[in-house]
Amino acid sequence: MIRLAELALQTEDEAAAVPIVSAAARRAGTNPRLWQWTGLLHRALDDRVAALQAFTKAATLAPYDPSIAHGLARTQLEAGLSAVGAFETAHRIAPLDGDVLLGLAAARLADGDASRACAGLDVFIRKHPGWIAGHYSLARLCWMTGDDLGFVRSLESALSKSPRDPALWKALIDLLIKAGQYERALSTIAQARYAMGDAVFLIANEALALSEIGRCAAADTSFALLADTDDVNIVVHQVRHLLRTGRVEPARDIIERWTASPDFAPLWPYASLAWRLCDDPRWGWLQGAETLVSVVDISAQLPSLERLATILRQMHTARGEQLDQSVRGGTQTDGILLARTDPEIISLRTAIVAATRAHIARLPARDARHPTLRARRDRAPRFSGSWSVRLTGAGRHANHVHPAGWLSSALYIGVPPTHDDDPHAGWLTLGTPQAELSLDLPATRCIEPKPGRLVIFPSTMWHGTLPVASGERLTVAFDVKEPV
């Protein structure tokens, strides 16, 4: 039964395995491992109610098992329940498990206790300064609470004791770049070179930062040292630099050399820009088909939008924007929104799944070369992320793409009133690249936000919003995983 469950998780065939494994768990009665696997299968299917029942049974039978305690706590958190006590139990059982500590911090944040979430991570990091995942989590939490200067303090402290540790330098520079603090990143790169000598990641981040702040000649020099790289992330920034500086054909040439690579995925959004700028017909093949985008009204399938808005507002507990996200002038919820067990969220998820199925059925014919059309279509939609965004004042989404998704979305729950002086305020734009790329490309499509309206589009497609003049814009968004 355990081998069956493991294989089902690997092949995403949990729906076939869960009745068999759960029946075996009931027959065995007192086998905690079978109840744990039943919980894991239900959790993979986004059925947190059944998963909680199974994990609770497993924890009753094996109260000191670390993986079962962690699974129960994680499922409670994802379900939208208070999980601090469950994570504290798991932490007592496995005090050195970093994943449990990260979960405990997330649970405290979900309960509105960001200061304690930060303090708990900080205490552990002081004892274990090489814990990179902890540094990242603490930095993101500090950023969300408005500490845009001291958010990397833990890494700076760790480096004062281990100045030759490349992993610590890499994390520090990466976080500064994610925060858009490029001058500070360049200063840190100079410090790293003094402490440990040069390294490829220092050259690459230096080139990136120089390009982003407009020091193009210096960026050219750094990128020239990376001309033979096989790291697609470095290539992405080379292409960004060339596009930003008006060298579209050299950017397209680099993209052409990478088209056959299995690592090409991060380059699709930039291929769309290069092809469009060059009037290459492949842009039409990539993003021109109308049925790649759906605009549907699902308000009749949703619970009361007012009630849904009330629930979502209660989840917007952060004081500031998340690090390295597109929200400007608003907040984004943490955690997996569509995993929650609130009746309204369950109804919301049901409506979204049905609309996503219908969108997939309307897609153009399968094409093995196309990042959206290559996927199989006989699987139920699965989500790689789901969240809510609340914009106020002049809030907006900066133009961006979703590298972790196959399909992306915007579902409007509440929109501000329109004004004659700015009738397009808050509209969704498709096809306009990041402002930082300085490309004169208008939107290929603009979509008016309306309560209950759902827009689904390829995750490789650039999208953003026009600022709202005033009022509140409340949305739900999700990424659909590419089926395997």
Side-chain angles (χ1 to χ4, degrees):
M1 288 298 104
I2 289 173
R3 284 197 297 272
L4 171 65
E6 289 174 335
L7 181 61
L9 285 173
Q10 292 169 9
T11 60
E12 296 189 355
D13 200 21
E14 299 91 351
V18 72
I20 301 169
V21 177
S22 60
R26 288 192 298 272
R27 284 197 304 272
T30 58
N31 187 313
R33 203 61 65 199
L34 284 176
W35 285 111
Q36 179 186 24
W37 278 103
T38 300
L40 290 169
L41 292 170
H42 280 300
R43 179 171 172 261
L45 292 168
D46 274 344
D47 185 352
R48 294 315 192 279
V49 174
L52 279 172
Q53 293 171 347
F55 273 118
T56 299
K57 181 71 171 178
T60 301
L61 294 170
Y64 302 109
D65 184 286
S67 63
I68 289 174
H70 186 197
L72 176 60
R74 179 65 57 183
T75 306
Q76 282 185 307
L77 176 64
E78 292 168 348
L81 305 174
S82 180
V84 171
F87 272 109
E88 288 175 342
T89 296
H91 179 49
R92 285 193 294 272
I93 296 169
L96 297 180
D97 189 323
D99 288 338
V100 170
L101 279 164
L102 295 178
L104 177 56
R108 286 171 171 162
L109 179 66
D111 279 3
D113 196 353
S115 60
R116 195 172 178 207
C118 292
L121 288 174
D122 187 57
V123 167
F124 194 82
I125 288 170
R126 289 178 186 277
K127 297 177 182 177
H128 305 276
W131 185 34
I132 300 299
H135 285 292
Y136 268 94
S137 184
L138 180 57
R140 292 180 186 279
L141 283 170
C142 290
W143 182 271
M144 288 172 64
T145 61
D147 188 1
D148 58 351
L149 293 177
F151 73 110
V152 290
R153 191 178 296 111
S154 68
L155 280 161
E156 292 171 337
S157 175
L159 280 164
S160 68
K161 301 178 181 65
S162 302
R164 297 179 62 83
D165 188 328
L168 292 173
W169 284 114
K170 191 171 185 178
L172 175 57
I173 294 164
D174 183 49
L175 283 164
L176 291 173
I177 285 176
K178 281 180 165 58
Q181 298 183 0
Y182 301 114
E183 295 283 4
R184 189 175 174 188
L186 288 170
S187 174
T188 302
I189 289 167
Q191 295 172 41
R193 282 200 175 106
Y194 180 80
M196 53 166 275
D198 211 352
V200 170
F201 80 87
L202 295 178
I203 300 170
N205 282 294
E206 181 179 58
L208 183 166
L210 288 168
S211 178
E212 294 290 340
I213 62 175
R215 293 173 58 185
C216 298
D220 282 344
T221 300
S222 294
F223 275 123
L225 300 174
L226 304 164
D228 297 325
T229 183
D230 58 359
D231 185 335
V232 71
N233 295 306
I234 295 175
V235 172
V236 164
H237 289 290
Q238 288 177 323
V239 169
R240 283 177 61 90
H241 176 61
L242 292 170
L243 290 173
R244 178 186 288 114
T245 53
R247 291 172 283 182
V248 178
E249 290 187 1
R252 185 178 60 171
D253 291 343
I254 292 176
I255 290 168
E256 295 296 330
R257 292 199 296 271
W258 275 76
T259 51
S261 169
D263 299 325
F264 186 77
L267 283 164
W268 279 117
Y270 300 95
S272 75
L273 299 177
W275 293 343
R276 190 177 165 198
L277 287 163
C278 294
D279 292 324
D280 190 314
R282 285 177 295 180
W283 179 86
W285 164 81
L286 180 62
Q287 295 188 347
E290 286 189 10
T291 50
L292 286 171
V293 179
S294 287
V295 182
V296 294
D297 184 351
I298 63 169
S299 54
Q301 289 73 50
L302 294 173
S304 161
L305 291 179
E306 287 188 10
R307 174 62 184 152
L308 200 51
T310 298
I311 291 171
L312 293 174
R313 289 188 193 103
Q314 292 170 352
M315 297 171 59
H316 283 272
T317 57
R319 294 206 305 268
E321 302 158 3
Q322 291 195 17
L323 183 64
D324 194 30
Q325 295 293 334
S326 66
V327 176
R328 304 290 185 270
T331 56
Q332 179 173 314
T333 58
D334 199 33
I336 310 170
L337 174 64
L338 295 179
R340 292 174 63 96
T341 55
D342 314 66
E344 294 84 357
I345 302 297
I346 291 174
S347 296
L348 169 68
R349 185 184 186 281
T350 300
I352 283 173
V353 168
T356 303
R357 282 182 182 273
H359 172 79
I360 293 169
R362 289 192 296 267
L363 287 172
R366 288 191 69 188
D367 183 338
R369 301 170 301 148
H370 195 284
T372 305
L373 304 180
R374 68 190 177 194
R376 61 189 298 176
R377 304 181 188 182
D378 59 344
R379 296 274 187 162
R382 292 172 180 254
F383 303 106
S384 55
S386 54
W387 58 95
S388 171
V389 171
R390 182 173 181 261
L391 300 176
T392 56
R396 64 183 178 89
H397 277 283
N399 295 315
H400 63 292
V401 295
H402 289 206
W406 172 53
L407 301 173
S408 296
S409 63
L411 170 60
Y412 298 95
I413 306 302
V415 300
T418 58
H419 297 278
D420 292 338
D421 57 341
D422 192 3
H424 294 146
W427 281 39
L428 174 68
T429 61
L430 301 178
T432 304
Q434 281 179 312
E436 291 83 356
L437 291 175
S438 302
L439 298 175
D440 186 19
L441 284 175
T444 56
R445 187 166 180 179
C446 294
I447 300 168
E448 181 181 5
K450 293 183 177 181
R453 172 170 280 181
L454 172 63
V455 186
I456 303 177
F457 48 88
S459 296
T460 56
M461 188 176 285
W462 292 95
H463 59 283
T465 65
L466 300 173
V468 294
S470 60
E472 176 191 59
R473 179 179 177 273
L474 189 63
T475 58
V476 166
F478 56 88
D479 284 340
V480 180
K481 288 175 60 177
E482 182 174 352
V484 297

